[in-house]
Amino acid sequence: MNPEELPLRDIHLPAPIGWWPPAPGWWVLLALLLGVVLLLVWHWWKRRAQRQVDWFGLAKAELVGLQTRYRDEPLTLLRELSVLLRRVAISRYGRGQVAGLTGTAWLDFLDKKAGKNLFKGKFDTLLTEMPYRADAQAETRALIAAIHEWLKLQRGNGHV
């Protein structure tokens, strides 16, 4: 037989394997990866929400505790209220923005973050001078009410 007459053809290679659809193992891996990402996002969201609620509850509890502890020591109460305001402001707005503020700049900052005039003009001497005096009488009820309101306004503004 003549080789040219034989019904033989060249070798035909199969078509290259496409990338779509992926094998079942890749679908399982994708589902696991997506589940882990969703779990991490949920966990992050939950912790973020807890942190936002916790600072307000802690600050409010501290304010009530200060009132109870220093009921008969108005000057010490005033000093501690000033420290509490500063601590909350630093934790909410950062040390760089708050720590250097004193005097009227501090009161302006508090009022600006409250969105209204809570401290300046009402508690100028009480918050800027009285905490540093050795012996003075201070009426703190109105200041405590203003601090309560400031804390509520900070909670509502959503700043982290």
Side-chain angles (χ1 to χ4, degrees), residues 7-16:
L8 297 177
R9 297 183 197 150
D10 282 340
I11 298 174
H12 291 284
L13 296 175

Side-chain angles (χ1 to χ4, degrees), residues 103-158:
T104 56
W106 169 236
L107 297 174
D108 287 338
F109 173 84
L110 292 171
D111 286 344
K112 179 182 171 194
K113 295 303 176 182
K116 62 183 180 178
N117 188 7
L118 280 177
F119 297 101
K120 193 169 183 184
K122 301 174 187 171
F123 304 111
D124 294 4
T125 305
L126 210 56
L127 282 175
T128 59
E129 296 175 19
M130 295 287 277
Y132 306 105
R133 292 185 180 169
D135 190 28
Q137 292 297 323
E139 177 54 48
T140 57
R141 273 187 236 149
L143 177 61
I144 289 170
I147 292 172
H148 267 290
E149 186 174 353
W150 189 81
L151 289 173
K152 287 179 186 175
L153 291 169
Q154 299 315 297
R155 182 182 190 192
N157 78 4

